[in-house]
């Protein structure tokens, strides 16, 4: 998705949002910020950046599932009369982590606010995927400094993927001493303890675990809205694409037990949710880490197919692990939607090899062929990186031709961003930035053209729209998504919000459709 598309997609005001009214050995208080040694010692003793060789081994480590999360008694009401604000950067996984942190803080008595001046705790839930994502966070940390100086009791925390990197933690401790709390992606469940430490210690609290491996099941959540919900099915990634920081920030692949996922989805259905999206960095690897049974994403989707919830999506797929059984299950349709997001990254087999993607242009096209054969109406979307080190014009053109050949209807497109500690960051790169930008521009032009063409097909057709809320531009206009994930704006009664309604398409734009609601289609619950 390019910038234009991203903007369009954030034009819905969610109506009916939920009213968001360990180990001490690993916990370090860094009292003297000039002592860089303490930070590096901390990382030496508790943090080992994973590498490709270790990945093979780490896959075999046992995953324990815990069902005993509890807020300690002395912290249960610690937030009464106080407010929290969590700012989220990056992917859906981070958005969902924010829902968990909001759930924990709410159980501690805090109420949510979106006003920084009112907040007693501000957490920045960060993304490390590209350099500009990190820059935004450092900018925000700087902006919050005057507020922290004005309100010394404010707890300012940095969590999420950036915190999993030693260099980032060092930079925060050295240059942004007004940050009170730094914690990673594996120890969110320790939030009550960390807040307590930050409150009473008057020193910086840093707790980052590289030793992941456990799944904590019963964490509270405050979901953003009552219409669509995220459901984690697995954590981490063992794919080690050479450009990607995720295996280092999110740890090894570990799958939730199917019964826990099914129970969560049943519960969401019973509570009136209309759509769930199963989340994982590589959902097709679901179940590969189970040592007591053979069970994969296809089996899970087959179970979810039987649950009375209208829409089930999943993201993100890795082409390498997308198996025939899954295709067979998805082809049943029903609540399993025929929109598949299948990141390709490049159309050149040579670049794919350098990226360690473990498939070729040909095998990707073969997979697309299989999917189309089983699901002739499926919409395919993708992720693409341009300007990978030493990408030639011909190799880039292979990406353009693949985009055409597959007929992607949308794509998240990125300029390659070197990430410290990844193999690609050590590669020499002879592609100048202007060339990378020009390639991104050309790619976006093509994707826009294909998106506009795909939209035209809907003119005068009636589509089913899950209505999410009002359009931010015009509160009289409602907005929602079709089964194939097309954004639709239309005039209709507010009672349609949260329902699946029929909308006749009157106009097709590049990234969205306009329509009118077909009378009497609001479902009665
Ligand atoms: N696990 C998913 C997959 O393999 O397709 C994607 C996860 S990642 C959060 C989302 C996307 O960010 C990737 O598909 C890739 O296109 C992009 N990305 C990851 N690392 C990047 C980097 N170093 N530079 C530019 N884009 C990157
Ligand atoms: Fe990153 Fe996705 Fe590759 Fe995992 S599969 S390393 S998350 S791009």
């Amino acid at each position: 998705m390019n910038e234009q598309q991203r903007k369009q997609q954030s034009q819905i005001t969610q109506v009916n949002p939920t009213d968001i009214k360990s180990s001490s050995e690993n916990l370090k208080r860094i009292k003297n910020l000039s002592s860089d040694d303490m930070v590096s010692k901390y990382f030496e003793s508790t943090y080992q950046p994973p590498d490709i060789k270790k990945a093979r081994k780490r896959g075999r480590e046992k995953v324990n599932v815990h069902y005993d999360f509890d807020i300690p008694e002395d912290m249960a009401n610690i937030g009464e009369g106080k407010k929290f604000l969590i700012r989220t950067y990056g992917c859906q996984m981070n958005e969902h982590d924010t829902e968990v942190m909001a759930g924990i803080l709410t159980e501690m008595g805090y109420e949510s606010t979106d006003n920084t001046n009112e907040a007693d705790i501000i957490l920045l839930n960060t993304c490390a995927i590209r350099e500009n994502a990190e820059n935004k966070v450092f900018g925000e940390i700087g902006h919050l400094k005057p507020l922290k100086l004005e309100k010394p009791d404010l707890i300012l925390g940095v969590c999420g993927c950036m915190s999993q990197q030693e260099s980032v933690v060092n930079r925060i401790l050295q240059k942004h001493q007004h940050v009170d709390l730094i914690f990673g992606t594996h120890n969110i469940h320790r939030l009550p303890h960390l807040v307590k430490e930050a409150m009473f210690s008057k020193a910086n609290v840093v707790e980052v675990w590289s030793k992941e491996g456990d799944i904590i099941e019963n964490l509270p959540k405050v979901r953003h809205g009552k219409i669509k919900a995220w459901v984690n099915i697995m954590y981490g990634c063992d794919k080690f694409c050479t450009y990607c920081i995720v295996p280092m920030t999110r740890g090894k692949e570990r799958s939730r037990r199917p019964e826990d996922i099914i129970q969560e989805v049943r519960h969401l259905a019973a509570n009136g949710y209309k759509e769930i999206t199963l989340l994982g960095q590589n959902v097709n690897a679901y179940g590969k880490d189970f040592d007591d049974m053979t069970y994969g994403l296809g089996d899970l989707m087959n179970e979810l197919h039987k649950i009375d919830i209208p829409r089930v999506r999943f993201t993100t797929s890795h082409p390498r692990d997308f198996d025939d059984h899954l295709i067979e299950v998805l082809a049943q349709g029903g609540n399993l939607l025929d929109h598949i997001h299948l990141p390709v990254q490049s159309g050149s087999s040579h670049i794919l090899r350098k990226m360690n993607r473990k498939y070729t242009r040909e095998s990707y096209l073969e997979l697309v062929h299989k999917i189309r054969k089983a699901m002739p109406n499926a919409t395919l979307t993708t992720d693409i990186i341009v300007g990978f080190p030493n990408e030639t014009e011909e190799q880039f053109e292979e990406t353009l031709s693949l985009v055409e050949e597959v007929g992607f209807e949308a794509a998240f497109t990125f300029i390659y961003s070197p990430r410290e500690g990844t193999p690609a960051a050590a590669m020499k790169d002879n592609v100048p930035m202007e060339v990378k930008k020009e390639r991104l521009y050309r790619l976006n032009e093509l994707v826009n053209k294909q998106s506009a063409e795909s939209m035209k097909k809907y003119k005068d057709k009636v589509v089913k729209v899950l209505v999410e809320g009002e359009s931010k531009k015009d509160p009289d206009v409602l907005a929602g998504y079709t089964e194939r994930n097309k954004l639709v704006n239309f005039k209709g009664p507010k009672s349609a919000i949260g329902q699946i309604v029929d909308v006749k398409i009157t106009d097709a734009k590049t990234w969205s459709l306009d329509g009118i609601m077909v009378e009497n289609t609001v479902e009665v619950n």
Side-chain angles (χ1 to χ4, degrees):
M1 184 181 299
N2 58 33
E3 212 41 52
Q4 210 182 338
Q5 192 185 0
R6 262 187 278 268
K7 274 191 200 135
Q8 289 260 15
Q9 304 240 333
S10 61
Q11 287 308 312
I12 306 179
T13 309
Q14 286 255 351
V15 172
N16 199 12
T18 303
D19 225 356
I20 304 176
K21 297 215 206 245
S22 52
S23 99
S24 56
E25 205 193 302
N26 278 333
L27 183 71
K28 276 265 167 4
R29 285 178 218 146
I30 300 183
K31 290 198 188 286
N32 182 353
L33 293 173
S34 62
S35 66
D36 300 350
D37 283 1
M38 286 187 78
V39 183
S40 50
K41 275 207 194 92
Y42 170 72
F43 274 95
E44 261 165 43
S45 58
T46 65
Y47 180 90
Q48 292 175 319
D51 61 28
I52 292 169
K53 280 183 207 141
K54 281 187 193 136
R56 285 185 198 102
K57 286 189 197 144
R58 77 179 191 184
R60 287 183 223 119
E61 282 166 22
K62 182 155 174 52
V63 176
N64 295 308
V65 186
H66 302 266
Y67 296 90
D68 54 359
F69 173 82
D70 225 346
I71 309 271
E73 241 174 66
D74 61 337
M75 280 168 267
N77 300 314
I78 213 162
E80 250 161 44
K82 295 185 176 157
K83 297 195 171 167
F84 75 88
L85 184 155
I86 309 177
R87 199 150 279 163
T88 314
Y89 302 80
C91 67
Q92 299 97 328
M93 195 71 78
N94 270 14
E95 285 179 29
H96 192 41
D97 283 350
T98 290
E99 293 181 334
V100 172
M101 291 190 281
I104 296 175
L105 290 170
T106 303
E107 287 212 351
M108 289 165 69
Y110 287 93
E111 262 182 58
S112 131
T113 177
D114 48 18
N115 179 349
T116 44
N117 294 315
E118 277 186 357
D120 300 281
I121 297 187
I122 299 178
L123 297 178
L124 304 181
N125 187 8
T126 63
C127 169
I129 202 89
R130 281 170 293 277
E131 196 186 355
N132 61 2
E134 290 199 358
N135 291 343
K136 274 191 206 156
V137 172
F138 278 112
E140 185 60 15
I141 293 174
H143 286 147
L144 289 169
K145 188 171 181 181
L147 185 67
K148 173 71 190 176
L149 293 177
E150 203 180 292
K151 282 177 69 177
D153 287 340
L154 166 71
I155 296 176
L156 177 57
V158 177
C159 55
C161 288
M162 277 171 69
S163 308
Q164 290 290 139
Q165 299 171 92
E166 182 178 353
S167 59
V168 170
V169 175
N170 270 324
R171 183 169 160 191
I172 294 174
L173 289 170
Q174 284 162 10
K175 298 202 175 137
H176 304 279
Q177 300 180 2
H178 58 290
V179 172
D180 304 285
L181 173 60
I182 304 172
F183 61 100
T185 54
H186 307 315
N187 48 348
I188 287 176
H189 61 288
R190 298 242 325 130
L191 191 55
H193 303 268
L194 297 170
V195 166
K196 190 181 175 192
E197 278 290 325
M199 236 176 217
F200 299 114
S201 76
K202 298 285 169 215
N204 301 75
V205 177
V206 181
E207 183 178 289
V208 182
W209 295 354
S210 64
K211 175 80 189 75
E212 76 292 327
D214 285 0
I215 291 178
I216 320 286
E217 263 309 326
N218 62 330
L219 293 170
K221 296 175 189 104
V222 174
R223 295 188 187 270
H224 180 71
K226 291 184 184 297
I227 303 166
K228 304 208 290 191
W230 309 114
V231 177
N232 268 127
I233 62 166
M234 62 184 302
Y235 304 94
C237 181
D238 284 343
K239 279 283 179 276
F240 285 85
C241 301
T242 55
Y243 51 81
C244 187
I245 195 78
V246 169
M248 317 205 187
T249 60
R250 290 274 171 186
K252 71 170 179 158
E253 282 174 2
R254 50 218 195 273
S255 306
R256 287 179 71 196
R257 302 294 298 183
E259 57 276 18
D260 292 329
I261 298 169
I262 291 164
Q263 192 190 22
E264 184 175 345
V265 175
R266 285 218 176 99
H267 186 74
L268 289 165
N271 280 292
Y273 281 86
K274 295 289 189 296
E275 178 175 310
I276 54 148
T277 302
L278 307 179
L279 285 185
Q281 292 299 342
N282 168 15
V283 286
N284 305 83
Y286 175 74
K288 287 191 185 220
D289 53 321
F290 292 147
D291 51 15
D292 59 340
M293 61 176 167
T294 308
Y295 193 94
L297 184 63
D299 302 300
L300 180 67
M301 294 300 274
N302 211 16
E303 291 292 327
L304 301 181
H305 178 61
K306 298 173 201 152
I307 296 180
D308 188 14
I309 191 155
R311 293 181 171 193
V312 180
R313 300 185 191 275
F314 57 99
T315 197
T316 304
S317 282
H318 191 296
R320 162 88 183 191
D321 294 323
F322 210 111
D323 60 36
D324 292 351
H325 179 47
L326 176 62
I327 297 177
E328 214 176 282
V329 170
L330 293 178
Q332 298 174 89
N335 62 358
L336 310 181
L337 305 183
D338 46 10
H339 165 220
I340 295 176
H341 186 68
L342 193 61
V344 67
Q345 314 299 357
S346 168
S348 151
S349 294
H350 178 84
I351 295 288
L352 289 170
R353 197 167 61 247
K354 295 269 176 215
M355 288 177 162
N356 192 33
R357 288 291 289 183
K358 300 189 175 87
Y359 55 85
T360 60
R361 175 190 176 98
E362 292 69 33
S363 62
Y364 184 92
L365 286 171
E366 216 171 283
L367 174 61
V368 167
H369 178 71
K370 265 195 219 169
I371 293 172
R372 290 228 187 275
K373 198 163 164 211
M375 305 160 70
N377 296 321
T379 285
L380 287 173
T381 57
T382 198
D383 291 355
I384 296 171
I385 296 175
V386 300
F388 188 75
N390 309 313
E391 180 192 59
T392 64
E393 172 61 24
E394 292 70 35
Q395 287 161 345
F396 169 66
E397 283 172 14
E398 285 185 77
T399 297
L400 293 180
S401 71
L402 182 113
V403 168
E404 278 182 304
E405 194 166 340
V406 176
F408 291 119
E409 296 185 15
F412 291 98
T413 55
F414 311 103
I415 291 181
Y416 164 72
S417 172
R419 306 283 60 216
E420 195 184 318
T422 60
M427 293 176 191
K428 279 208 171 128
D429 187 2
N430 64 10
V431 189
M433 186 45 85
E434 312 84 79
V435 174
K436 294 183 192 226
K437 283 187 181 160
E438 188 251 352
R439 285 181 190 164
L440 182 69
Y441 178 82
R442 284 159 66 198
L443 175 61
N444 283 344
E445 287 287 289
L446 176 61
V447 173
N448 290 353
K449 186 173 130 234
Q450 290 189 186
S451 175
E453 270 160 22
S454 74
M455 293 295 186
K456 276 189 211 149
K457 288 189 295 205
Y458 291 96
K459 186 100 195 287
D460 300 326
K461 298 256 162 58
V462 174
V463 289
K464 296 221 170 291
V465 177
L466 172 55
V467 190
E468 287 182 26
E470 299 159 355
S471 158
K472 278 187 186 158
K473 287 186 202 152
D474 179 354
D476 288 338
V477 172
L478 300 180
Y481 286 87
T482 69
E483 289 172 349
R484 293 194 197 124
N485 218 28
K486 306 289 184 197
L487 174 62
V488 182
N489 293 301
F490 65 99
K491 290 216 164 159
K494 301 274 188 256
S495 58
I497 293 171
Q499 308 298 330
I500 294 174
V501 301
D502 288 335
V503 176
K504 184 166 184 192
I505 301 305
T506 51
D507 196 13
K509 299 181 169 160
T510 304
W511 292 114
S512 63
L513 301 165
D514 288 344
I516 42 171
M517 195 170 128
V518 181
E519 287 301 313
N520 300 326
T521 58
V522 177
E523 285 175 4
V524 179
N525 275 345

